[in-house]
Amino acid sequence: MMSSVLRPGVFSPYYQVTKQGVKSLMFPGAKELLPAAAGTRLAHTDIKIPDFSDYRRPEVLDPQKSSQESTESRKAFSYLMTGATTVIGVYAAKTVVTQFVSSMSASADVLALSKIEIKLSDIPEGKNMTFKWRGKPLFVRHRTEKEIATEAGVNLGELRDPQHDKDRVLNPKWIIVLGVCTHLGCVPIANAGDYGGYYCPCHGSHYDSSGRIRKGPAPLNLEVPYYEFPDEETVIVG
Ligand code: FES
């Protein structure tokens, strides 16, 4: 192409000069090593262009055909590839996020330590037992029928932190609370105080046998932790 532009145009004199110049710069014998037309060729037309036919879609292999005719089929392929890539990308992102979030949650051994399983048949009726759970005292009280009836009949209007007994227990026989006074954190004494529930000697807070504050400076009822009864004889706290 270069030669066809240069030969007939205004650059012909310079082209001739260049041709002569190149010839004059050749070392003796070089001319014999070159092909016959080497001195006049200005473009590298002998470079082999790679054949990408294997990678092209069959619809566009024929250069005589208009690409408009295969638009629909090529669009379908493009949409299919885009959709598939999106699905794979979303799935990969979901996996990464799930693994990242689950890496922040507690491991199984830590979770096991955070729970306590208590055998209820070891606690006689009318007694309270104290367990250590997550570094705090945990009270589990086996209530008598009288205590259950008394706590169920308390007028909520009398309470500082109004809460019905049935909202604090899963099974009325068992009241399970944290043994931490809601005033300043002392450990109350079980089966003591004016209401027969718990008594905090630090500043004189009285709780009933539902763990509700009835008298003294404590502002709130004793906290009820999460627990469940897998069977009649067992409770799991935590
Ligand atoms: S800490 Fe229990 S009454 Fe003050």
Side-chain angles (χ1 to χ4, degrees), residues 9-90:
V10 292
F11 297 106
S12 294
Y14 304 108
Y15 165 68
Q16 292 297 331
V17 168
T18 304
K19 197 168 113 182
Q20 294 304 322
V22 169
K23 272 185 181 173
S24 65
L25 287 172
M26 282 181 182
F27 58 87
K31 202 174 173 187
E32 286 69 37
L33 296 174
L34 293 173
T40 57
R41 192 173 66 223
L42 295 179
H44 292 284
T45 52
D46 59 340
I47 293 176
K48 200 163 183 288
I49 296 171
D51 183 10
F52 292 107
S53 299
D54 291 342
Y55 303 98
R56 299 177 69 188
R57 296 181 193 170
E59 299 93 334
V60 292
L61 278 179
D62 186 354
Q64 306 303 322
K65 273 172 66 178
S66 166
S67 61
Q68 296 290 332
E69 294 170 21
S70 60
T71 303
E72 289 307 315
S73 64
R74 286 185 291 115
K75 265 187 189 171
F77 179 78
S78 299
Y79 292 157
L80 181 70
M81 288 303 292
T82 307
T85 308
T86 305
V87 169
I88 292 168
V90 168

Side-chain angles (χ1 to χ4, degrees), residues 106-117 132-135 138 225-226 236-238:
S107 58
D109 56 333
V110 173
L111 283 177
L113 283 177
S114 70
K115 293 178 184 241
I116 183 171
E117 184 173 321
K132 190 178 173 191
W133 177 67
R134 294 184 185 173
L138 177 76
Y226 174 81
I236 295 175
V237 182

